[in-house]
């Protein structure tokens, strides 16, 4: 369907209810990047990847790096996998979540070295005691470190006019910012 001119995304419903993943989260709008054509192996094959994710330190004023091994379906783009793992929060201790867990991911796509991440407006509601910049750069740095993207454009319901927590302007793509990463001895 997304190959038809004028159709940019599709949403699935089952008996009138929005499609949900195995964790019960709404899948939301899906575009061409959500469907992987895999001619080498079966569509249900799995890959193991090591992801570098950035979460908040315990004070919520810096980022800490967390390396996680994940097994995932080959049908899920690496960009979407990273955002889903960010929404789930860190594993273990020493790191705190940054993104409101009630946030719905509406879509993730990449084009021309820019990763586009579209959330619903729940994203704008911070639920953790974390600096706004820490939340934004936890996502931006994780995506840039783990993909070919050089910038990340965060949209809210497809719009770029938001300002996160009145501090971070989301109207243009953001570059990686390692100034927010805590020094090794601060962790």
């Amino acid at each position: 369907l997304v190959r038809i001119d004028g159709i940019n995304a599709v949403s699935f419903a089952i008996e009138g209810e929005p499609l949900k993943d195995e964790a019960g989260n709404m899948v939301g709008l899906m575009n061409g990047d959500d469907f992987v054509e895999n001619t080498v192996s079966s569509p249900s094959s799995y890959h193991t990847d090591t992801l570098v994710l950035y979460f908040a330190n315990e004070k919520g004023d810096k980022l800490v790096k967390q390396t996680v091994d994940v097994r995932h379906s080959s049908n899920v783009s690496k960009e979407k996998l990273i955002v889903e793992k960010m929404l789930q929060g860190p594993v273990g201790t020493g790191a705190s979540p940054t993104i409101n867990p009630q946030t719905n991911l509406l879509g993730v796509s990449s084009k021309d070295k820019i990763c586009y991440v579209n959330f619903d407006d729940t994203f704008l509601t911070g639920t953790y005691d974390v600096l706004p910049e820490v939340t934004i750069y936890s996502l931006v740095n994780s995506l840039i470190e783990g993909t070919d993207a050089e910038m990340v454009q965060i949209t809210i319901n497809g719009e770029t006019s938001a300002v996160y927590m009145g501090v971070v302007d989301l109207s243009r793509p953001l570059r990686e910012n390692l100034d927010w990463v805590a020094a090794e001895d601060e962790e």
Side-chain angles (χ1 to χ4, degrees):
L1 289 172
V2 295
R3 290 183 178 174
I4 299 171
D5 271 347
I7 298 178
N8 298 321
V10 294
S11 178
F12 294 95
I14 299 170
E15 295 181 6
E17 292 294 315
L19 178 66
K20 295 183 179 175
D21 64 16
E22 56 275 348
N25 300 315
M26 266 187 19
V27 172
L29 293 173
M30 300 174 80
N31 62 30
D33 291 334
D34 291 310
F35 301 94
V36 177
E37 286 186 37
N38 189 344
T39 58
V40 178
S41 57
S42 77
S44 60
S45 68
Y46 283 81
H47 296 291
T48 302
D49 269 315
T50 300
L51 301 178
V52 174
L53 304 175
Y54 290 91
F55 293 102
N57 64 3
E58 291 175 353
K59 290 183 194 172
D61 64 349
K62 287 284 188 180
L63 294 170
V64 291
K65 186 187 293 192
Q66 192 172 80
T67 304
V68 294
D69 291 321
V70 293
R71 182 171 159 79
H72 62 94
S73 168
S74 61
N75 293 331
V76 176
S77 71
K78 196 161 184 187
E79 293 85 352
K80 187 171 185 179
L81 177 67
I82 289 169
V83 177
E84 287 173 347
K85 292 297 176 188
M86 294 299 301
L87 286 166
Q88 291 172 7
V91 178
T93 59
S96 301
T98 56
I99 301 172
N100 182 340
Q102 302 302 314
T103 299
N104 289 308
L105 175 62
L106 303 178
V108 181
S109 62
S110 286
K111 185 175 182 179
D112 299 328
K113 301 279 187 187
I114 300 175
C115 180
Y116 297 88
V117 182
N118 188 17
F119 292 116
D120 70 351
D121 55 6
T122 309
F123 176 78
L124 298 174
T125 310
T127 58
Y128 301 110
D129 190 18
V130 172
L131 290 176
E133 296 90 346
V134 169
T135 295
I136 296 302
Y137 287 104
S138 69
L139 181 63
V140 171
N141 292 358
S142 297
L143 283 163
I144 290 174
E145 183 125 356
T147 68
D148 293 335
E150 294 175 2
M151 293 190 287
V152 176
Q153 174 69 65
I154 300 169
T155 58
I156 307 301
N157 295 319
E159 300 292 323
T160 60
S161 59
V163 177
Y164 183 75
M165 303 295 282
V167 176
V168 184
D169 180 10
L170 302 179
S171 67
R172 54 185 165 65
L174 300 167
R175 292 192 179 279
E176 184 175 42
N177 186 337
L178 298 176
D179 293 343
W180 289 100
V181 178
E184 294 293 325
D185 58 346
E186 289 180 34
E187 292 180 37

